[in-house]
């Protein structure tokens, strides 16, 4: 219930016809949404701010971090494949975490040139 005493529910975006003919469909969307709300047995109540929103942000942030970590590991693996033989031998057989720690300690090797790398 909102402040005016009206019942408020959420509805999913109604499916639109494939071809709308270029006409504006805001009114049609509202009618479809109302029909869907009236026909639904289990109404969805609007989301509330606070703990639920904080949890949503936390989960979205975690998912983003996991994706970034996976991308970084995949990039490192691709770089290892094209690395010089001596470095590949050093990293072969290590777990990903150990490879990351080993590569983090690597520094430029001034005796090598880009043509020999």
């Amino acid at each position: 219930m909102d402040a005016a005493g009206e019942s408020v529910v959420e509805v999913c975006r109604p499916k639109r016809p494939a071809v709308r003919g270029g006409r504006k469909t805001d009114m049609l969307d509202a009618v479809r949404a109302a029909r869907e709300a009236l026909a639904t047995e289990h109404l969805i109540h609007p989301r509330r701010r606070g703990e639920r929103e904080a949890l949503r942000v936390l989960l979205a942030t975690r998912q983003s971090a996991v994706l970034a970590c996976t991308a970084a590991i995949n990039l490192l693996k691709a770089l290892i494949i094209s690395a010089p033989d001596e470095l590949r031998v050093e990293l072969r057989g290590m777990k990903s975490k150990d490879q990351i720690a080993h590569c983090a300690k690597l520094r430029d090797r001034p005796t090598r040139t880009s043509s020999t790398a």
Side-chain angles (χ1 to χ4, degrees):
M1 294 256 194
D2 71 355
E6 295 292 329
S7 180
V8 179
V9 297
E10 283 188 17
V11 292
C12 297
R13 180 178 172 178
K15 293 182 180 178
R16 293 181 177 173
V19 178
R20 294 188 299 258
R23 60 184 181 265
K24 193 157 177 68
T25 61
D26 289 343
M27 189 61 121
L28 293 175
D29 286 347
V31 170
R32 287 186 187 113
R35 286 182 180 160
E36 181 181 335
L38 290 172
T40 303
E41 291 180 21
H42 302 287
L43 297 175
I44 303 169
H45 296 287
R47 294 183 178 154
R48 295 189 181 120
R49 300 284 180 214
E51 290 180 13
R52 190 172 185 174
E53 183 68 14
L55 181 60
R56 185 192 67 75
V57 169
L58 179 67
L59 291 174
T61 304
R62 182 182 186 282
Q63 181 182 13
S64 176
V66 167
L67 289 173
C69 182
T70 302
I73 289 172
N74 289 341
L75 179 60
L76 177 64
K77 297 285 186 178
L79 289 172
I80 289 172
I81 289 172
S82 63
D85 291 337
E86 66 182 55
L87 182 57
R88 275 201 317 259
V89 169
E90 289 177 37
L91 297 170
R92 188 174 291 135
M94 290 184 181
K95 293 182 179 180
S96 292
K97 288 185 178 185
D98 296 331
Q99 287 177 336
I100 293 167
H102 185 81
C103 290
K105 295 175 187 173
L106 293 176
R107 296 288 176 248
D108 288 336
R109 298 179 184 177
T111 58
R112 306 189 105 207
T113 63
S114 60
S115 61
T116 61

